[in-house]
Amino acid sequence: MSRRWRWSTLNPLRVGANGLPFEAALLARLVIVALLVKGYDALPGPGVAFIAAVEVEVPAIGPFIWPRLAFYLGAAAVLSNLAPRTGALLAACSLFLVSLWNMGSFSQSRLLPACLLLLVSLAPTSSATTLFRWQVVLLYAGAALNKSLDIDWWNGQFIHAYSASKAHLFFYADLADVAGRWPARLLSWSAMALEAAVAMAFARARWVPEGIVCGLALHTGIMAWLGFDFEAFFYTVAAAYAAAVTWPGRIEIQPPSGRVGVWIVGTLARVEWSGIWHVQKAVPMSPLRAAPTGALCVSAYHVDRVDRRTGAAAWRYLWLHHPTLLVAATAVLAYPSSYTPLGWVRVALLTAGLFVVGVPAMLDSRRSRNADERAVRIEAGPGDSRVGAERGRGHGPSSCP
Amino acid sequence: MYGVHGGRTVAEERLLFPSSLITCNIGRALGHMHDDRDISTSAGSWWPGVRGTLVLVFLMAQAAGIVWGRVSGESFWAWAPHDSIVDYAIDAWHGGSVVARAAVEARYGLPAGGRRYEPAADLIAVVRTRDARLQQSDHCVRVTYRVNEGARRTWSWPAGCAP
């Protein structure tokens, strides 16, 4: 066990160490961070347990009950890469345990992360992504089935009752006077249809991008209407989406030349001490590769042929080909969304943007999904680029100008 | 691992044709696990197989839970979001005297009143389970609730005990 291995393994920026596939490691990280940020580390104490034998007094260790301590240990093991599978198992078991010993605190916001973490800990490396997809299928199929068998979701009663009781939906009473229950019915039917669509789309790997678009439209739409971000649930779902898509094989970032560039690279090299992102201080420049400073170059799918886009077109290309960015953007932009005017504006814009961007993404992704190689390169200035080969996908030199 | 087969990488082949998992062809599914490099696989060749089987059982148990949830009306094992607004209040009497709100909350591990977004059957199951276990003959509990702001309903344990 070399010293370098030890340092690089401990690097929190590393994703996919210790035999854990990139998607699984990313999922575990995102779920753990979502639980910690949204306060789900404060696990409830014992209550009415499902099984009488589990109903016991739990000794406290300092300020923590021991499942909470187990959760922290698991979270640390995942975030530090020391034992990601074992850490995910520990965190999952603590979440399951508190659900089992307190029926009153049973919550999908705790169970979905627990299921995903358990899959991370147990899933075979080669089929982990498939298993995450099937977990998403079960989630949405169950939700769609449950709603479709509830009359209050067909006649719009749930949405109507909720909307009428919320101060931020000040316009709903007037709307209901004019249109009756129809707005509530349409929203209910849309939710059920989108949930069923996500379940069906995730059942096939090739339809995952469409599923993500439907899922994000559903969740951001719900957030926009209800004014509530569903706490850890939404972020865990977004993490599952991120784990179900194919990520770019590598990303090359070339800072601009000059003092600023040297400073940026030097800082990155100090921060990223294990070198897994291949930050280089000295980069040889070639006159043939000179490009306007600040230009953005992205190559994707067919890196052997010249396929480059710059500026806004490059960003559009990223959006269209990598729905993962939709997930990241949603998670960043939608938070915090609860009951604040700014959150409302943000979520409304995001929802509109998802529809505008998502629909062409669906059409475009079908045309290009048979591509056998995927790579994204981003260059923000002239010069050669270094290739991050962390995921082992061999590529030639960059085709950026 | 990233070799190309018929225009697709091996990884994409596995994503596109996960039949080994669907049809429970565990042998083929587990055959993919030779590239597992984590520490846990070094414990023995049997462990990856057990792990894969556990995952399949876990996913199938969830599917069974969804079906069972429709039969039982409770959503504990069909935990996917199924929102309904339940406004409720729990009142209890012990030996004819009203039980304090704090004592009710301590007994059932729930707020004595408020709003929940899980089915009413879940709420009733919590109360019923606690009282069935304690089996106190002089204890009476009543749950008053409304689902989606519909008609007011009551449930009591033992049946009809509430004043």
Side-chain angles (χ1 to χ4, degrees):
Chain A
M1 189 181 296
S2 68
R3 185 170 179 273
R4 178 176 171 75
W5 180 88
R6 215 177 295 150
W7 277 108
S8 63
T9 301
L10 288 172
N11 188 344
L13 296 174
R14 175 183 281 271
V15 180
N18 284 347
L20 203 60
F22 172 81
E23 291 80 5
L26 180 70
L27 175 61
R29 289 275 180 86
L30 291 175
V31 168
I32 291 288
V33 169
L35 290 170
L36 290 172
V37 169
K38 300 302 285 186
Y40 274 74
D41 53 319
L43 301 177
V48 181
F50 279 96
I51 307 163
V54 185
E55 238 172 69
V56 292
E57 284 296 318
V58 183
I61 304 170
F64 307 113
I65 52 173
W66 62 264
R68 191 174 181 188
L69 197 63
F71 176 81
Y72 285 136
L73 286 174
V78 168
L79 296 177
S80 68
N81 275 319
L82 275 175
R85 280 192 193 270
T86 310
L89 183 64
L90 208 55
C93 287
S94 60
L95 292 170
F96 276 128
L97 184 62
V98 295
S99 298
L100 285 175
W101 76 15
N102 193 337
M103 294 167 73
S105 70
F106 224 67
S107 151
Q108 59 259 21
S109 290
R110 201 171 286 116
L111 285 167
L112 178 61
C115 289
L116 290 171
L117 287 170
L118 188 70
L119 288 182
V120 166
S121 67
L122 294 178
T125 299
S126 54
S127 53
T129 311
T130 307
L131 294 167
F132 300 149
R133 278 198 301 110
W134 280 99
Q135 180 61 64
V136 174
V137 170
L138 280 171
L139 169 70
Y140 284 95
L145 179 72
N146 287 340
K147 287 185 178 70
S148 66
L149 294 176
D150 186 340
I151 186 65
D152 283 351
W153 274 88
W154 285 105
N155 61 21
Q157 178 61 27
F158 168 74
I159 297 283
H160 175 76
Y162 191 97
S163 307
S165 67
K166 291 298 174 186
H168 66 271
L169 292 170
F170 56 89
F171 54 87
Y172 183 77
D174 294 334
L175 185 64
D177 284 344
V178 175
R181 292 285 174 86
W182 280 104
R185 279 187 196 134
L186 289 175
L187 287 171
S188 300
W189 297 346
S190 303
M192 287 190 285
L194 283 171
E195 282 181 342
V198 174
M200 286 189 283
F202 267 75
R204 295 200 68 187
R206 60 185 290 123
W207 290 98
V208 164
E210 287 84 343
I212 289 177
V213 171
C214 291
L216 290 176
L218 168 72
H219 289 294
T220 50
I222 290 173
M223 282 199 302
W225 188 258
L226 303 186
F228 178 57
D229 67 358
F230 286 93
E231 298 179 338
F233 183 78
F234 172 78
Y235 301 98
T236 309
V237 163
Y241 291 168
V245 297
T246 304
W247 281 70
R250 58 193 173 197
I251 299 174
E252 298 173 17
I253 301 171
Q254 183 65 47
S257 58
R259 280 187 184 179
V260 175
V262 170
W263 181 83
I264 290 173
V265 171
T267 305
L268 284 174
R270 277 191 294 276
V271 172
E272 211 293 90
W273 68 86
S274 65
I276 58 171
W277 283 37
H278 299 268
V279 176
Q280 302 290 328
K281 279 187 178 177
V283 178
M285 289 183 59
S286 161
L288 293 175
R289 298 178 61 79
T293 302
L296 181 73
C297 171
V298 177
S299 302
Y301 296 102
H302 297 287
V303 293
D304 292 334
R305 64 187 169 82
V306 177
D307 182 9
R308 56 184 191 241
R309 295 166 173 80
T310 59
W315 284 114
R316 180 176 171 275
Y317 193 81
L318 275 174
W319 277 87
L320 293 179
H321 288 270
H322 297 284
T324 323
L325 285 175
L326 292 174
V327 179
T330 303
V332 171
L333 292 176
Y335 180 84
S337 65
S338 304
Y339 304 117
T340 62
L342 185 60
W344 264 95
V345 171
R346 204 181 282 158
V347 170
L349 287 174
L350 185 64
T351 307
L354 281 174
F355 278 111
V356 171
V357 176
V359 172
M362 269 189 346
L363 302 174
D364 196 74
S365 63
R366 190 170 299 125
R367 282 199 296 273
S368 56
R369 62 166 45 109
N370 288 330
D372 56 357
E373 284 291 349
R374 297 179 181 197
V376 176
R377 291 179 169 80
I378 303 172
E379 291 191 352
D384 200 356
S385 57
R386 300 287 170 171
V387 176
E390 177 64 15
R391 299 181 61 195
R393 298 187 184 189
H395 290 292
S398 169
S399 59
C400 292
Chain B
M1 179 166 179
Y2 292 99
V4 177
H5 291 260
R8 283 186 290 266
T9 63
V10 174
E12 282 176 333
E13 287 276 338
R14 289 172 187 167
L15 286 175
L16 289 171
F17 304 109
S19 57
S20 57
L21 290 163
I22 299 168
T23 61
C24 296
N25 184 352
I26 294 174
R28 184 183 162 197
L30 303 185
H32 288 167
M33 292 189 292
H34 293 301
D35 57 349
D36 279 7
R37 287 167 292 154
D38 58 326
I39 297 166
S40 58
T41 56
S42 63
S45 58
W46 53 271
W47 175 235
V50 171
R51 230 171 52 185
T53 308
L54 284 175
V55 168
L56 290 175
V57 169
F58 177 66
L59 290 177
M60 285 191 284
Q62 287 187 63
I66 292 170
V67 176
W68 173 247
R70 299 318 311 164
V71 177
S72 69
E74 297 169 6
S75 69
F76 295 115
W77 308 116
W79 54 266
H82 169 211
D83 293 302
S84 54
I85 303 169
V86 178
D87 296 304
Y88 73 97
I90 304 174
D91 300 298
W93 295 266
H94 196 78
S97 309
V98 176
V99 178
R101 189 181 176 90
V104 169
E105 293 180 352
R107 182 182 179 96
Y108 301 109
L110 287 167
R115 174 171 277 197
R116 285 167 58 91
Y117 292 93
E118 286 80 29
D122 289 12
L123 174 69
I124 290 169
V126 174
V127 176
R128 189 187 60 231
T129 303
R130 168 61 83 212
D131 286 348
R133 280 187 193 149
L134 291 177
Q135 295 207 341
Q136 294 172 318
S137 57
D138 55 349
H139 186 84
C140 173
V141 63
R142 180 183 67 195
V143 179
T144 310
Y145 63 97
R146 295 171 70 198
V147 179
N148 295 329
E149 300 193 349
R152 186 181 299 274
R153 300 175 197 177
T154 57
W155 174 90
S156 54
W157 175 276
C161 71

